[in-house]
Amino acid sequence: SLLLSSELREALTKTVENGDQAIILMNRRGYSKSRVCSECGNTFCCPVCKVPLIYHKQHNGLLCHYCGRIFSLQVPCPDCGSKHFELLGGAIEKLEEEIAEWIPQARAIRMDRDTTANVGAAERTRNDFRERKFSVLLGTQIVAKGHDFPDVQLVGIVGAEAGAGVPNFRSGERLFELLSQTSGRAGRAKGNGTVLLQTNNP
C-alpha cells in the first residue's frame, strides 16, 4: 500500500513543477515497522529489549531502536522456525523510494539519524537544501526545528498520529509541538504556504 495519499502526492508534484521546495516529515526511521512470521504471526522482537525490530534497508537488517543491535532479515522465526515472513507498516526509507518512483522529477534528500550519523552531515544536508540542490527534504523530527528555508511552500506530514499513543502524559503536548513546529517551515518568505497532515486517526 502507498504511504503518500493522492492529495499529498498531487500537492508535492505541483510544488516541484512550480520550482518551489517541500518538506515531508515522517517520524519513523527505517523501511518497515515490523517483520511478522507468515506461518504463526509472531512479530520478531529484540531478544534483549522485547520491542519489535525495524527493518532498515540501509543497514540490510533488522535494527533495535533501543540497544542498536542488528539482526539478519532472514533469521528464522524464533517461535516456529519458519523462514517465511512479511514486512508490515512503511517507514521513511520506503517513503523515499515511493517519492522517487511517483515523482521522478523531485530531487529528494533524506535527513534522519541514519543519514546524519557522520560529523557535519546534517549541516551539509541543510546547506544543500537551502542552496536548492534538492527540491524535497524528507526527514524525521530532525527537520522540524529551527530551520529557515525561504522557498519551502509545502509541508507534508505523513503518519501525523505517530507518538499520540505513547504512554506518557506529555505525549499529546509533544506531538502538537512537533506538528506545529514542522508546519511553521511552510511559506516563510512568499506566504500562502500549504500544510497537509496525513493520518489514519483524524
Side-chain angles (χ1 to χ4, degrees), residues 22-42:
I23 292 176
I24 306 294
L25 171 82
M26 187 180 198
N27 209 18
R28 291 191 192 121
R29 286 169 56 217
Y31 189 87
S32 67
K33 289 192 291 181
S34 59
R35 195 200 84 159
V36 176
C37 176
S38 300
E39 300 296 325
C40 71
N42 172 58

Side-chain angles (χ1 to χ4, degrees), residues 4-14 154 194 196-198:
L4 281 179
S5 65
S6 56
E7 291 88 351
L8 183 50
R9 196 163 60 243
E10 286 168 18
L12 187 55
T13 303
K14 186 177 177 183
L154 172 69
T194 301
L196 291 176
L197 292 114
Q198 185 179 302

